[in-house]
Each structure stands twice: as C-alpha cells, then as structure tokens.
Amino acid sequence: MPETTAPAVPPTPPVPLSALLAREDLALRQIAGPADRGTVIHWAHTSEMADPYPYLLGGELLLTAGVHVPEAAGSGTYFDDYVSRIVAAGGAALGFGLAPVHDTVPRALVAACERHGLPLLEVPPQTTFSGVARAVWQLMAQARLAELRRVTEAQQSLASAAARPDPVPSVLRRLAQHLSGHAVLFGPDGTALAGAGREPSEEVRAALTDLTAVVRPTGAPAPGAPAIAAGGRTAGGTGTDTAENSPTAPDPSHPTDDHSPTPRPAPAPAIAASRRTAGGTDTDTAENSPTTPDRSHPADDHSPTPRAAPPTNAASGRTAGRTGTNTAEDSPTPPNRSHLTDDHSPAPRPAPAPAIAAGGSTVPASARQVVPPATSRPAATPAGSSPARPLPASATATVGSTHLAAYALGSGEGFVLGVATARREPGDHTIASVACVLLSLLTGEHHSGAGAARSSALVRLLLGSVPEEVAPLLGAEAWVVVHARPEAQVPDAVAASALGAALGSPLVDLGRDVVRVLVPGGRVPEPQPGWTLGVSAAVQPREWPTADAQAARALARARATRTALIRHGARPGLTDLVPRADAEAHAHALLAPLADRPELIDTLRNWLALHGSWDRTAVALDVHRNTVRQRIARCAALLATDLDDPDVRMELWFALRHG
C-alpha cells in the first residue's frame, strides 16, 4: 500500500474555538453548530469556491462572504451539499461574513450547519477576514510559547529528579505531576517496578499493562499479556492497530510535536470486517480496515489524519482463506494530497472506506493507535515464518475517558514506561519522551559489550574458578569495594542500579540494608547525594574479601561520624613489619576469650575505631548506648585487661585487624 504524506502544518498547537470567540475586538458570534469547548482550529482560510473540499487540509476555520452562493440557493440542496463537503474535508468551523454580499446569514446555511454539526460563526462587517486570521496566529503563538515554557520547566524538573538518591521513583513522581496522571515503570517481565501519581482503576491498570506488550520486545513478554497477531491485533481482540498498517498513522519522519490538527469524526462509524480471533471476538486487521481515531484524544503531534469517506460494503472483498475480511488490494489507497496539480485541479482525495462486515461487527471502542518509532527494533521471527514486523517505540489507547500511553525505553532491556492521564495536552509526548531518556539511562546497560563477559565470569565462579582467574574478564586489574547505605529509606533494586551507574559499575549487590558495588580501581568513587559510602583500598582480585571488610568498617565510621564518604587508609604500618602468619596467630590467641561471641568482637572493633565513643558506636551498630557499655564491660572482663590503657587498645586493634 503506498504511503500517505501528511501535509505541511505550522509548528504551533491548535487554538480552541472558544478562545477566538472570546476576543472582543473580533466580535464573532456562534449562531449554529455544537458549542463544544473541545473544538480547535489550526488555521484560518478564506475561500469563495462553491466546493472548497479539494483545497482544505483539515482543521481550518473557513471564511466566506457568500460570493459563491447562487440566488436560488435557499430553496434547493446547495447549502446542505456545501456544508457536507466542508465536514468531509475536516473543516473545524465556518465563518460567514456580513456585507457586502449578504446582510444576514442565510437561514438555510444555519440549518445545514446544525444538521451536520459544523460550528457557524457570524463575522460582523467591521471585522475583516485578515483580522480573524491574524488573531488565530496570535493565539497560536501564545499557545506555542506556553507549551515551550511548560516543556522546558518539565525537562529541568525531571533532570533534577534523576539526580536524587531515589532517581527512578523521583522521575516518575515528577512525570505524574506534570501530566496530572499516573506513571509506572514496568520491568522486562511485565511487573510494575515503581509507580507514582493518582492510582487508576483496575480496568485502566490492566489495560495499561496489556498495552506495554505492544512495545516490549517479544523476548520479554508480560505475564498474561495478549499475544500480538499479524497486523498488530491482540489475540484477545482488543483491537490494536500498528502504525505501519493503519492509514491513520503519521509519517515516522514527521516531528512528534508538529501540532497538526486533530481529525473530525467520520460521517459514519468505522465498521470492521468480521474476523474471529483466538479470544472469540470479532476484530479487524489493521491492513484491512482503517481505524477512525478518537476525537477526544488529541495526539501530541497534531498531525492531520486522512479523512474517512462514506462506508463501503466489504462483502465483495472476501478472499480465499480469510472469511469475512477485505484485503488491502480491495480498499482504495489514500494518495498524497498535500499539493494540487499545476492546473489547480483537485488532488485525489483519500478514500479508504471503513469496511462493513456481513455480520455488522464494529471496531471495539478501545481501539489503539500505535505510533511508529524512528528506528524500530525487529521482533523475533520463528523459524520458517515470514519476517516479523518491527516493534513500535510507543503506543496509545483509550479506556473510557482515560488516555493511555506506553513507551519502550531505549535500553533495549524490555523496560516500558506507562502513562495514564485524564486528558492529553500539547507537549505531553515531549515531556514523556524526556522521562524515557532519563529512565533509559537509569535502567540500561552502562558498559557496552560487558554483559557477556560478566555472565562468563559468573559461570566460571560458580563452576569453581578463583576470583583472580575470572577478574580479567571484567576488564580491570585493581578493584575498589564500596559499601553504601541510603540516608532515608531501605534500598531497592532500582536505587541500587542507579547508584552503580553513578559510581561507574554495573557490578552491584543489593543486601538487606547495604548496597555493595565492585568498582574498577581506575575510578575514584565520589560522594553521592542521599547515600553514606564506605570505600576500600584498591586491591587485586585475591584480596576482594579483605577489601569488603575494609569498606564495611569505613561505612560504619562514616555513619557514626555522619560523613558522606570515608575511604580506608592504605599507608604502611605495623602489618608491613610483622609476617602475616605470626600476626594471625597472635590475634587468635589474644581474642580467644571472645571467639564464640561475634557481637562482642564487632562492638569492640567499632568502639576502638570510634575512639571509645559510646554514642557514635551505638549509632554505627544500631543499638542503645547502654548496650554498648555492657558489651565493652563484658569484653574487658573476658579479656582480663584494662581497655582504658592506650597500649592495650593498640594491641587489640592490631589483633582485630588480623583476627
């Protein structure tokens, strides 16, 4: 099927018709048609053609002085035909100028606009059409400026949230605030990892989870998510249209925020060819039947959608092996209508008619429109089957009055951002895209090509290799161990991953209350907002256990002294003067009375490290200061020594370092 090219549109958001009517300098008055505050216009166009259809792009406020109206127009079908052609072309409203041709708006025109639901404005003699057009452009410029300010403020706010100690929840909270809705991050297995904003209903939550399956790579399906059939339809018959198959899809090369007009409703509802799916529901395939988008869902790109022609019957479009389904070859193809021919003859009109099934089944109300990515990721193709369609980068849907959107994160790991909002405003897609970029950085792979090497190192360790043998696979000779603990909350997997990214290493271990990170020795860990860090000396892989203990002691001192980061000292000392075997034997003999009391050894070590401070030791151990006093007294009794003697303290500290 040939591609349709969306006409060029101004890079401005649409203007509510109510805003134009509120301009006192224009004195416009609506005298017919629905008073819908959701009606928007994208431009003002003047035409005195009896049939303006070939020259409209959609979304216009069409201005006319009635020069084309014949004298006997009121007694025939002239006005009815005229208004129906404007509606079919996607015109948003009609403005009729008083004087010099007509003193009043023809009553037949008023009646025709009422029948066809087209807003009719009376333009007073003192208001020129150029003045109306100028007012439209002024309102567009104001709306565009407001949108740019909103997007800029949101971008700065989201970037600040990404720098917080809990970056992913913070980004989701800010996103939910800016969109006035609910934002949730789904993992590769389809489970919700984090969410923020107003909680949606169960129906909306389930629909949003299902929508993520449309953009998630096939290698990571959501549990219970419907299978995607050919043409983008779900096996459950929820009615998903892929952008490459649906004539309503915008050109992938077209900017996402180009503010082209929202389509008017088609004269007749879209009727699908009857086709039974695995779930037993009548659905239509995207390549067989165009979907009429929901007018209440203004897409961020505001691009005009090819207009639907009156419905045609698809009974004659049956093909062998596809009962009740019309093929793309049977449906007219919407050509490019962004220009006219040189002799000003009208360009061919898009006429892909919604197919009417023999059984009369209709497209589900929650039919989804999927926006194609600029570069799509190919889905897995089973052996012996035709190549799979590329996955879209984002998808949208509606459930009642709630608008849903799903965005695949660029990390390629199967993470998906889901958004549910009560309405869609210009700039929402841009704001969500900024959040996607930040979340992709927070959840994605931080070292290209390192995943396979880490997997190989893990397998070798599990099969009995020693650390020094597998360390070369990780790409560094010396390593630093970092112990980290958040200041406010218990660490979670997402926060731990973000901390690893900030420290420059994906080798992260999430414990009950401490996160351990193995960092290449060439990197110098710096303080992280919201975290307390203890950093070991740079060591060879065979000394990783020693570095782990160093980082643990450094973290304890950092928490006790309320310091953001403490590094283990690595200057030469007594350990360089005493052989390791002799030092360990002396330590075991000296600490033998405490051998079966690990809580006493731990308390003594922290107490000595903190220079005998009862309060700071209690903080480091998360115990009461009286408990510390009791344990130190018990140590003195079991060791039969005076712990106030500095020589004793030095000897005990040496033993604790090597015991």
Side-chain angles (χ1 to χ4, degrees):
M1 177 182 293
E3 294 184 357
T4 60
T5 303
V9 294
T12 51
V15 173
L17 182 60
S18 58
L20 195 64
L21 291 171
R23 290 282 296 256
E24 295 182 358
D25 57 324
L26 299 178
L28 301 179
R29 186 168 65 94
Q30 182 172 348
I31 59 177
D36 183 6
R37 297 188 62 85
T39 301
V40 295
I41 57 177
H42 287 261
W43 36 50
H45 176 66
T46 302
S47 174
E48 297 297 341
M49 302 295 295
D51 181 10
Y53 181 93
Y55 310 101
L56 299 181
L57 297 176
E60 295 94 345
L61 167 61
L62 180 63
L63 300 171
T64 179
V67 177
H68 58 88
V69 179
E71 293 183 1
S75 59
T77 62
Y78 179 84
F79 285 118
D80 194 77
D81 295 339
Y82 177 71
V83 173
S84 67
R85 294 291 284 172
I86 297 174
V87 172
L94 175 64
F96 194 90
L98 302 182
V101 181
H102 297 270
D103 295 331
T104 61
V105 180
R107 287 181 294 178
L109 178 59
V110 175
C113 289
E114 285 288 355
R115 280 193 300 272
H116 291 278
L118 179 68
L120 175 62
L121 310 184
E122 180 187 82
V123 183
Q126 70 272 18
T127 301
T128 62
F129 287 174
S130 60
V132 175
R134 181 177 60 184
V136 170
W137 288 110
Q138 287 174 346
L139 291 172
M140 285 183 175
Q142 294 172 7
R144 180 59 170 170
L145 179 60
E147 178 188 344
L148 291 176
R149 286 177 176 171
R150 175 173 176 252
V151 170
T152 301
E153 291 173 358
Q155 182 177 5
Q156 295 173 349
S157 175
L158 291 170
S160 299
R164 291 179 59 84
D166 52 342
V168 171
S170 296
V171 169
L172 293 176
R173 282 195 298 269
R174 295 289 178 85
L175 179 62
Q177 291 171 2
H178 287 292
L179 300 185
S180 300
H182 180 69
V184 58
L185 176 65
F186 293 92
D189 60 352
T191 58
L193 300 179
R198 189 166 45 250
E199 283 294 331
S201 65
E202 286 294 336
E203 179 185 10
V204 171
R205 188 181 295 108
L208 187 59
T209 302
D210 290 348
L211 188 62
T212 63
V214 177
V215 299
R216 181 180 292 106
T218 54
I228 304 300
R233 289 284 164 187
T234 58
T238 53
T240 304
D241 295 326
T242 58
E244 60 184 286
N245 303 328
S246 171
T248 62
D251 184 353
S253 64
H254 202 277
T256 55
D257 267 338
D258 58 5
H259 309 289
S260 45
T262 305
R264 294 184 62 82
I271 306 300
S274 178
R275 182 182 181 187
R276 289 286 172 180
T277 63
T281 305
D282 288 338
T283 62
D284 63 308
T285 57
E287 69 265 27
N288 301 329
S289 176
T291 301
T292 302
D294 183 0
R295 179 168 170 77
S296 64
H297 186 164
D300 268 354
D301 59 0
H302 307 289
S303 56
T305 307
R307 310 179 193 85
T312 59
N313 195 298
S316 60
R318 305 289 177 84
T319 58
R322 299 183 69 179
T323 303
T325 306
N326 66 313
T327 62
E329 293 81 357
D330 301 325
S331 298
T333 300
N336 180 3
R337 62 174 307 276
S338 61
H339 62 277
L340 301 178
T341 56
D342 290 339
D343 61 352
H344 303 287
S345 59
R349 310 300 300 182
I356 300 178
S361 58
T362 60
V363 174
S366 60
R368 300 167 184 161
Q369 179 184 358
V370 179
V371 181
T375 55
S376 300
R377 306 177 304 284
T381 304
S385 64
S386 60
R389 300 181 185 275
L391 286 173
S394 62
T396 59
T398 56
V399 176
S401 61
T402 302
H403 302 279
L404 310 179
Y407 302 86
L409 300 191
S411 60
E413 301 293 330
F415 291 93
V416 178
L417 171 64
V419 177
T421 57
R423 62 183 183 277
R424 293 280 283 180
E425 300 289 346
D428 282 1
H429 179 77
T430 303
I431 294 173
S433 298
V434 172
C436 283
V437 172
L438 295 172
L439 292 173
S440 297
L441 295 175
L442 294 171
T443 60
E445 179 64 59
H446 303 287
H447 294 277
S448 177
R454 290 200 304 274
S455 177
S456 178
L458 175 61
V459 170
R460 294 188 187 186
L461 284 174
L462 293 175
L463 295 180
S465 296
V466 294
E468 49 266 34
E469 292 180 2
V470 302
L473 293 173
L474 303 179
E477 296 182 358
W479 296 83
V480 171
V481 178
V482 177
H483 280 216
R485 186 164 179 171
E487 297 174 355
Q489 70 283 340
V490 176
D492 55 31
V494 176
S497 176
L499 174 65
L503 296 176
S505 174
L507 303 175
V508 179
D509 172 44
L510 175 61
R512 184 176 62 86
D513 54 1
V514 174
V515 176
R516 299 189 297 177
V517 185
L518 193 59
V519 180
R523 298 179 181 272
V524 179
E526 298 295 339
Q528 301 297 319
W531 292 86
T532 302
L533 306 181
V535 182
S536 75
V539 299
Q540 297 298 316
R542 65 176 179 275
E543 297 177 309
W544 281 348
T546 301
D548 185 52
Q550 293 174 356
R553 291 194 294 270
L555 176 61
R557 292 198 300 273
R559 294 187 66 240
T561 58
R562 293 179 173 84
T563 305
L565 183 148
I566 286 185
R567 306 179 194 275
H568 176 77
R571 61 184 181 277
L574 292 176
T575 55
D576 299 320
L577 305 177
V578 181
R580 178 183 296 272
D582 294 344
E584 291 178 353
H586 174 71
H588 291 159
L590 184 60
L591 299 175
L594 308 180
D596 58 345
R597 301 292 298 276
E599 74 280 2
L600 296 182
I601 294 178
D602 193 29
T603 301
L604 181 60
R605 178 185 291 111
N606 281 276
W607 184 73
L608 292 174
L610 296 172
H611 310 290
S613 172
W614 308 108
D615 292 334
R616 289 190 293 171
T617 304
V619 172
L621 296 175
D622 284 334
V623 297
H624 195 275
R625 64 194 306 273
N626 289 341
T627 302
V628 176
R629 288 182 176 275
Q630 294 171 3
R631 290 180 181 179
I632 295 300
R634 185 60 179 164
C635 290
L638 292 176
L639 295 173
T641 189
D642 181 10
L643 295 182
D644 291 331
D645 187 334
D647 291 332
V648 172
R649 290 191 180 188
M650 184 275 295
E651 189 174 3
L652 287 173
W653 180 250
F654 182 85
L656 289 169
R657 292 282 304 276
H658 297 85

